[in-house]
C-alpha cells in the first residue's frame, strides 16, 4: 500500500468528506470516460454549471474530447510548455469533471508519464516529459489557480471587451488565461515568457485566434501590473457590498465571507482567508508501531536535507514546509515508517487517550488517519472497530493498517453507523465520532473545497451530525468516553451540536480536555479547538463526553 499524499490529505481532513454518499463526488476517470464540456458560468460569483454529459469510450472508436471535432492523434509538440499543458488539463478535470485537486496533485509527483497521457487524450498531443521542476510548478499553479479563481476571474473579466465575452469563453481558453494570470500576478514569473508560452499553448491546443486573444489579454495585464494599476475591488458601501469586495480580493465564496465577518469580525475573517490562501504546511507522524521514533524520523530527514522542526504539541510529530516530494521518493511513506497527519488531528487522538487493552470504536473511520494513530498507541493490546459507509475508503484503511503493522488490533466494519447502532448492542470503552462536516477548517489544504461548499450544506450536515451522535452514544459503556470531533471552525457544527446532544442525553456530561491537550487549545466550556489564525494549524474541534455510571 503506497502512503501517497492524496490519501494523507484525506487523513489530515478526514471529516471533510461526508459519510453520506450523496455528498461525495468521484474523481474523473479519463481512461474510460470522455467529457463533453457543456458549461455556462456566472463569472465573478458562484459557478452555474449545467450537468456534464459523459460518453463511454468504445474500443476502436474515435474518442470525443473537449472539442468534438478533434480526433485523437499521437504526436509530440516540443514547443509547448509541459507544465502548462498539464495544468490546463488538470484544471479542466477539477472544474468540469469533478476530480479532487489534492488527488491529482499527488498523482503528478513522480508520475509525469501518466499526466502526459491525460494531456494527449484531452488535447491531442504530448509535450516533452515533465521533470521535477515541472512537477513542482504543476502542484503550485493548479493549487494556486483554484484558490485564487474568483480573484483571477475578476481580473480576466475586467480585461475582456465585455462581460458577455467573458461569460461565453470556452473552458479550456479560460483555464489557460487563469494559468497566465496566476503566474504573472501571484508567482511573479517573467511576464513576457509567460505570455509567449501561454499563447503558444492556446494556438496549439485550440486555434491561432485563441492564441491571439490570450496574447492581447495577457499583455494588458502585464502593463497594468507594471504600472501598479490592477483593477482591484474597493471595500466600501454596505455590509453586502463590502463582503462581495472582500470575497473577490481574497477569493472566497461570498456566503463564507459574510458568515465569518458576522462570527469573527472583519479583521479576523481577513486573517483567516489569508491563511486559507497560504501554501499549506504539513506534519509527519513517526509510526511507533514499527518502533520508528521521532528521533529516527529526524535523523532521516536530516540525511535527506529536508528542513523540519519538532512539533511543540505532540511527541511523535515533525513539521515540514518543503520537501514532501523527497520524502515520497525516499519511500518513507511507502514503508509505513511515517504518515502525513496534521497536528490538529493528532490532538484529537490525544483527547481520546487510547490505552493498551481498551476497546474502541471509530465511527466514521476511513480512510483511517486517526484510527492508525490510535492503534499505534494501543501497543498491540486492545481492539479498534473501524466502521465506515464507504467501502473503497475502508479498503484504504485496511491496506494502511497492514502497512503500518497495526492490523492485529483493527477490525473494519462496512456499514451505516445509524443502522449498525440499531442492530448491535456491543459497548466500548471509548467511542470516537469524527463526524462528516463542511471542512471549513482545512481550506488551506483542500484548494477546491471552498468552491464545492454551499450554505445549505451546513444545515444538512447539522441534521446528519445529530443522527450520528445519537447513534455513536449507543456504543458507550457506563463510565465510558464519547469524543465528538470535526475539521470545521463553524460553531453550528461544533459547540452547538454538543449542546443539543446534551439536551437530548442527560446521561452524558462534559469532561474538560485540559488534561489531554495544551491549555491554549481549551475553550471556556472545556472543549478542544484549534484555530488556524491563532495556532497555525488546521481548524478542528473536539468534545470529550463521559457516560454517567449507573
Amino acid at each position: 500500500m503506497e502512503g501517497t499524499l492524496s490519501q494523507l490529505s484525506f487523513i489530515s481532513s478526514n471529516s471533510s468528506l461526508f459519510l453520506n454518499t450523496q455528498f461525495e463526488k468521484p474523481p474523473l476517470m479519463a481512461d474510460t470516460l470522455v467529457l463533453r464540456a457543456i458549461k455556462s458560468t456566472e463569472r465573478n460569483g458562484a459557478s452555474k454549471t449545467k450537468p456534464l454529459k459523459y460518453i463511454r469510450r468504445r474500443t476502436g472508436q474515435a474518442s470525443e474530447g473537449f472539442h468534438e471535432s478533434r480526433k485523437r492523434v499521437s504526436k509530440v509538440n516540443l514547443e509547448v510548455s509541459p507544465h502548462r499543458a498539464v495544468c490546463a488539463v488538470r484544471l479542466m478535470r477539477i472544474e468540469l469533471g469533478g476530480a479532487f485537486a489534492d488527488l491529482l496533485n499527488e498523482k503528478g509527483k513522480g508520475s509525469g508519464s501518466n499526466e502526459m497521457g491525460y494531456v494527449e487524450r484531452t488535447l491531442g498531443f504530448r509535450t516533452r516529459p515533465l521533470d521535477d521542476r515541472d512537477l513542482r510548478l504543476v502542484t503550485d499553479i493548479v493549487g494556486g489557480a483554484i484558490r485564487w479563481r474568483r480573484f483571477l476571474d475578476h481580473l480576466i473579466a475586467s480585461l475582456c471587451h465585455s462581460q458577455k465575452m467573458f461569460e461565453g469563453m470556452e473552458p479550456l481558453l479560460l483555464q489557460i488565461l487563469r494559468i497566465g494570470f496566476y503566474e504573472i500576478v501571484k508567482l511573479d514569473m517573467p511576464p513576457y515568457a509567460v505570455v509567449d508560452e501561454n499563447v503558444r499553448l492556446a494556438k496549439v491546443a485550440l486555434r491561432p485566434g485563441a492564441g491571439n486573444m490570450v496574447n492581447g489579454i495577457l499583455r494588458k495585464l502585464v502593463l497594468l501590473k507594471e504600472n501598479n494599476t490592477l483593477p482591484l475591488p474597493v471595500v466600501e458601501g454596505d455590509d453586502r457590498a463590502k463582503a462581495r469586495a472582500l470575497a473577490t480580493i481574497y477569493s472566497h465564496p461570498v456566503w463564507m465571507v459574510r458568515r465569518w465577518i458576522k462570527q469573527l469580525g472583519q479583521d479576523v475573517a481577513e486573517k483567516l482567508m489569508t491563511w486559507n490562501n497560504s501554501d499549506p504546511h504539513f506534519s509527519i507522524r513517526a509510526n511507533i508501531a514499527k518502533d520508528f521514533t521521532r528521533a529516527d524520523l529526524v535523523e532521516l530527514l536530516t540525511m535527506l536535507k529536508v528542513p523540519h522542526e519538532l512539533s511543540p504539541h505532540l511527541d511523535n510529530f515533525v513539521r515540514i514546509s518543503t520537501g514532501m516530494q523527497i520524502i515520497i521518493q525516499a519511500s518513507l511513506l511507502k514503508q509505513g515508517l511515517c504518515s502525513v497527519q496534521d497536528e490538529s488531528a493528532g490532538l484529537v487522538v490525544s483527547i481520546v487517550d487510547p490505552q493498551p487493552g481498551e476497546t474502541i470504536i471509530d465511527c466514521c473511520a476511513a480512510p483511517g488517519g486517526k484510527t492508525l494513530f490510535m492503534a499505534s498507541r494501543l501497543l498491540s493490546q486492545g481492539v479498534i472497530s473501524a466502521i465506515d459507509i464507504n467501502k473503497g475508503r475502508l479498503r484504504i484503511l485496511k491496506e494502511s493498517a497492514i502497512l503500518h503493522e497495526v492490523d492485529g488490533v483493527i477490525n473494519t466494519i462496512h456499514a451505516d453507523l445509524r443502522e449498525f447502532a440499531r442492530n448491535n448492542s456491543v459497548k466500548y470503552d471509548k467511542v470516537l465520532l469524527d463526524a462528516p462536516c463542511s471542512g471549513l477548517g482545512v481550506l488551506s489544504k483542500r484548494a477546491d473545497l471552498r468552491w464545492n461548499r454551499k450554505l445549505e450544506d451546513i444545515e444538512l450536515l447539522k441534521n446528519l451530525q445529530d443522527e450520528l451522535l445519537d447513534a455513536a452514544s449507543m456504543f458507550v459503556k457506563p463510565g465510558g468516553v464519547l469524543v465528538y470531533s470535526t475539521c470545521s471552525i463553524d460553531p453550528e457544527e461544533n459547540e452547538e451540536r454538543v449542546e443539543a446532544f446534551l439536551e437530548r442525553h442527560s446521561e452524558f456530561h462534559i469532561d474538560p480536555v485540559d488534561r489531554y491537550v495544551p491549555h491554549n487549545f481549551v475553550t471556556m466550556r472545556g472543549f478542544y479547538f484549534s484555530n488556524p489564525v491563532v495556532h497555525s494549524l488546521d481548524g478542528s474541534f473536539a468534545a470529550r463526553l463521559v457516560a454517567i455510571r449507573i
Side-chain angles (χ1 to χ4, degrees), residues 150 233 238-249 254 257-258:
R150 183 183 178 93
D238 59 19
D239 291 344
R240 287 177 178 270
K242 289 179 180 178
R244 284 196 299 270
L246 289 169
T248 298
I249 292 170
V254 176
V257 179
R258 295 191 65 191

Side-chain angles (χ1 to χ4, degrees), residues 77-198:
N77 190 310
L78 299 179
E79 296 181 352
V80 172
S81 167
H83 83 259
R84 293 182 177 91
V86 171
C87 286
V89 171
R90 280 197 189 182
L91 290 169
M92 293 284 283
R93 293 171 64 199
I94 292 164
E95 185 170 357
L96 301 179
F100 291 113
D102 53 346
L103 295 182
L104 295 184
N105 277 342
E106 175 48 29
K107 281 186 176 182
K109 294 182 183 290
S111 59
S113 59
N114 182 56
E115 287 298 311
M116 203 52 64
Y118 278 109
V119 170
E120 182 176 7
R121 286 190 290 273
T122 305
L123 304 181
F125 62 88
R126 303 175 73 88
T127 72
R128 66 167 174 80
L130 284 79
D131 57 28
D132 287 345
R133 178 181 178 276
D134 291 323
L135 291 169
R136 288 192 295 271
L137 282 171
V138 168
T139 299
D140 292 344
I141 292 171
V142 169
I146 293 171
R147 286 189 186 90
W148 289 100
R149 190 178 79 189
R150 183 183 178 93
F151 175 73
L152 297 175
D153 285 0
H154 166 79
L155 294 180
I156 295 170
S158 299
L159 301 187
C160 286
H161 294 307
S162 66
Q163 185 67 22
K164 183 177 180 181
M165 170 186 171
F166 176 67
E167 291 175 354
M169 192 174 291
E170 56 196 294
L172 179 56
L173 178 58
L174 177 60
Q175 304 304 343
I176 294 172
L177 284 171
R178 285 172 175 166
I179 292 167
F181 272 60
Y182 181 74
E183 290 177 325
I184 291 170
V185 175
K186 294 297 181 181
L187 293 186
D188 288 322
M189 287 185 172
Y192 290 100
V194 172
V195 174
D196 183 62
E197 294 284 353
N198 283 288

Side-chain angles (χ1 to χ4, degrees), residues 251-461:
S251 195
H252 279 68
V254 176
W255 74 266
M256 283 188 193
V257 179
R258 295 191 65 191
R259 191 174 184 86
W260 289 337
I261 290 175
K262 182 178 179 181
Q263 292 174 348
L264 308 171
Q266 181 175 323
D267 182 58
V268 177
E270 289 188 52
K271 290 178 180 177
L272 176 59
M273 290 187 285
T274 298
W275 166 263
N276 292 340
N277 289 332
S278 63
D279 292 333
H281 296 259
F282 297 96
S283 295
I284 310 293
R285 175 177 63 83
N287 181 17
I288 59 174
K290 278 195 167 185
D291 294 324
F292 186 74
T293 66
R294 180 165 73 174
D296 297 326
L297 177 59
V298 166
E299 184 178 353
L300 284 177
L301 293 178
T302 302
M303 183 179 67
L304 294 169
K305 298 182 179 179
V306 174
H308 59 275
E309 60 180 286
L310 302 182
S311 164
H313 310 306
L314 293 159
D315 292 340
N316 301 315
F317 285 67
V318 173
R319 297 175 174 179
I320 67 168
S321 56
T322 61
M324 182 60 70
Q325 188 174 358
I326 296 173
I327 293 172
I328 293 171
Q329 291 175 344
S331 297
L332 301 188
L333 305 176
K334 188 175 182 179
Q335 296 176 57
L337 297 176
C338 57
S339 58
V340 178
Q341 188 166 38
D342 196 79
E343 291 166 68
S344 62
L347 288 167
V348 171
V349 172
S350 296
I351 292 166
V352 177
D353 190 31
Q355 297 295 322
E358 290 181 334
T359 59
I360 302 172
I361 182 169
D362 191 346
C363 295
C364 298
K370 296 182 181 70
T371 313
L372 296 174
F373 189 18
M374 289 191 295
S376 71
R377 292 180 56 164
L378 291 183
L379 303 178
S380 301
Q381 302 172 52
V383 176
I384 298 180
S385 295
I387 182 171
D388 202 273
I389 197 172
N390 188 309
K391 182 178 279 189
R393 296 174 72 216
L394 201 62
R395 184 175 62 252
I396 293 173
L397 192 160
K398 293 174 70 173
E399 295 170 348
S400 299
I402 295 171
L403 177 69
H404 285 249
E405 296 183 4
V406 292
D407 51 306
V409 297
I410 295 178
N411 172 42
T412 57
I413 302 169
H414 176 228
D416 184 312
L417 175 67
R418 295 162 292 187
E419 183 178 342
F420 186 77
R422 287 192 292 268
N423 299 325
N424 292 271
S425 58
V426 62
K427 303 294 183 182
Y428 295 83
D429 296 312
K430 290 171 179 172
V431 177
L432 171 62
L433 173 60
D434 189 29
C437 69
S438 64
L440 294 182
V442 295
L443 296 185
S444 69
K445 288 190 173 71
R446 292 288 310 279
D448 53 338
L449 188 61
R450 70 187 68 181
W451 310 120
N452 296 330
R453 287 290 174 267
K454 298 178 181 178
L455 180 59
E456 306 87 77
D457 292 341
I458 301 288
E459 196 64 35
L460 293 172
L461 284 164

